[in-house]
Amino acid sequence: MSPAAKIRIEDILNRVERYLPEMDEALLRQAYVFAANRHQGQVRRSGEAYLVHPLSVAWILAEMELDEIAIAAGLLHDILEDTDTTQEEMEIEFGPAVTRVVVALTKISSYESSYSSREATEAENFRRLLFASTDDVRVILVKLADRLHNMRTLKYLDHERQVAIARETLEIYAPIANRLGIGSIKTELEDLCFRALHPREVQRLERAIEERAQVAEKWFAEIKGVLEGILTEHGLSGEIQGRVKHLYSIWQKLRRQGVDVESVFDFLAFRIVVDTVAECYATLGLIHQKWPPVPGRIKDFIAIPKPNAYRSLHTTVIGPEGHPFEIQIRTRDMHTIAEHGIAAHWSYKEQGSRPAEDSRMAWLSSLLDTTQGSSPREFLDSLRVDLYPDEVYCFTPRGDVFSFPRGATVLDFAYRVHTEVGHRCVGATVNGRWVPLRTQLKNGDIVQISTSPQQSPHHDWLGVAATGRTRSKIRAWLKREEKSRAIDVGRKLLERELRRSGWSMKRLADSDELGGILTSHGLAKLEDLLAAVGFGRMAAAVVTEQLTPTAETLEEPALPATDRRPAPGAETPVLEVTGDSDFLVYVAKCCNPLPGEEIVGYVTRGKGVAVHSRSCPNVQRLLYHPEREIEVRWAASAMEGRVGRSRVDLDMKYQDRSGLLAAVSHAISSEGSNILSCSLQTHDGGAGTVAMSIEVRDAAHLNRIVQKLEAVDGMLHVERRGFVTRAVP
Ligand code: MN
């Protein structure tokens, strides 16, 4: 019967009689008449008589094959809340069992509540309802049926109410139906919520499915034929269902993979229902012989049932033309349990069995136990934690709750609190214990983030963050920061260049020529020009050439660089900043690191990144500002010796000895190096010093030269100027 059809009491009685031939028909008729009388004159938002609602709820319960108490309670569930019927009256009419269920479903008004806020009162009502459910599972089953019918008729409410109810249903009622194993209600609730919350996405998905309906039909017939053939050939009988998966699950899957509907197998799936467990496994084996399974996608929920008692075999196989598709294999009993869950077990057959002993209810009992005495809000938070096993819920010390995907770290938490908190985060305490940023969050953790105004995001935070949301915030910061540093660098370079040609930054900014320069480089504003120069994408001289194309300036020879290295931003870069940065880098004069040497980058104020040797004494001091350290590496061109030689200053100490200088000069030339300058001093007592500048290719080259110099007879010390002294053994 379609949900929209009008339910009559006769339909319900007929339906119940089919699975419960000895039902108490009188009780159901009496409940119906009573409800009809008491709701007389009440009208739903849809304009229908109110009675349609309790009848529909009773029908849903009959579809779940529940007993007369549950169905009578369904017919009467709004009597205490919406009419002036009293509890005593109900007990006289229907006895204690039905009354208890209806009382549990009746909300106390905020004026009876011990809490002042509406929100807290609602949470408290909900806790009472769940508590009653652990004694009598019919309470939550009637509630789910009630919510299902309300969701089916949601469109009659105003938009705001629709969204609020759909959200609550998706967050709490659908997951509860799932925990109780009631697949039929869970999927219908999810789809109804999806429609209310994302109407456009629903439309898009439906259109995509509709467009592929013919192809889907063809595939379905073809695959069904193959499956039937396999079963018949091996003497198995099974029912093969091809089905369109429910919309919400398709949408979640596509969103998880970040794709859109491509093939029919994105929404088509197969289910085979056989007679025995042995046949389930046999069928699985036969299918895998026909189509290869996708590794890691075979799930045996028969050997290891889900916590909600769901059992089935799942596999994904590579089907015709390489399209993967899903097949579920189960017995008829397993199918009933998958659809009706706890309702299938807790039914007229097993009346009196304690629901708390059922694993599907046990989690709820223990949750209610552990949250005893907590506030309604804490209770709802804990409930959410239990309802979503794939998510991690953590708390701020103030009790605010945030949800994260499993694997999220303390850094993700910091960024969730606030973007600024993330940027300044130095660490955190979790449950009172100090932990580093990469610590993974666990359910129920209480996280307190520590911040420092000196802190700022690092490149390696990108590896610490587990959520895309955090990573994009870090990336945005790094980009912004790099740009502002580049602008400073560009400003310095351009100012110097401008001064040489008699210009100034101010004059440039005010000049008519600026617009033309910007346009010719495809830039929008002066800031972009400075950034382009700072990032080394453009030479500052290009700007001045465009400003003053006079013969005088053109003929003026370029000043020789004091440094023999290629200028920053020149065509063959020697150094690169690790990561996606295109920062301006230069080697620090204090230590002149050589290609191959261990190096470290330091972001200066306004000059780009200075690259020091890791053993440069200045580095230790500079790195008191660790936030300004940046990872750098030698460019491949430098490592292959494709860039020019570097100048290295050496200081040597020696014992007075004739012929020393000749020996030193021989050591250097034998390694293919040149002496650029040399000054020698002999002191009283015979000892002397040599200060010498030589040319080297890279660190290895220098090492060989130093070794040769150290081997010169009479040499006491060889030291690279500015570096830690090394004594000659
Ligand atoms: Mn209701």
Side-chain angles (χ1 to χ4, degrees), residues 245 253 257 293-299 314-317 324 326:
K245 294 190 237 173
K253 185 185 155 194
Q257 300 172 349
V294 176
R297 294 292 297 277
I298 307 167
K299 292 190 186 120
H314 289 189
T315 185
T316 300
V317 296
E326 295 167 23

Side-chain angles (χ1 to χ4, degrees), residues 44 50 53-54 57 77-78 82 146-147 150:
R44 291 203 100 208
Y50 194 87
H53 172 61
V57 171
H77 77 273
D78 281 331
D82 295 342
D146 178 32
R147 180 52 66 110
N150 285 337

Side-chain angles (χ1 to χ4, degrees), residues 267-278:
F267 58 83
L268 211 59
F270 289 83
R271 184 178 292 148
I272 304 175
V273 179
V274 292
D275 290 332
T276 66
V277 171

Side-chain angles (χ1 to χ4, degrees), residues 15 31 63 65 117 248 368 382 428 434 458 507 533 558 709 719:
R15 182 82 169 80
E63 284 183 315
E65 307 201 340
S117 81
Y248 186 62
L368 290 163
S382 308
W434 179 260
H458 294 230
R507 199 177 140 203
V533 172
L709 290 172
E719 137 189 341

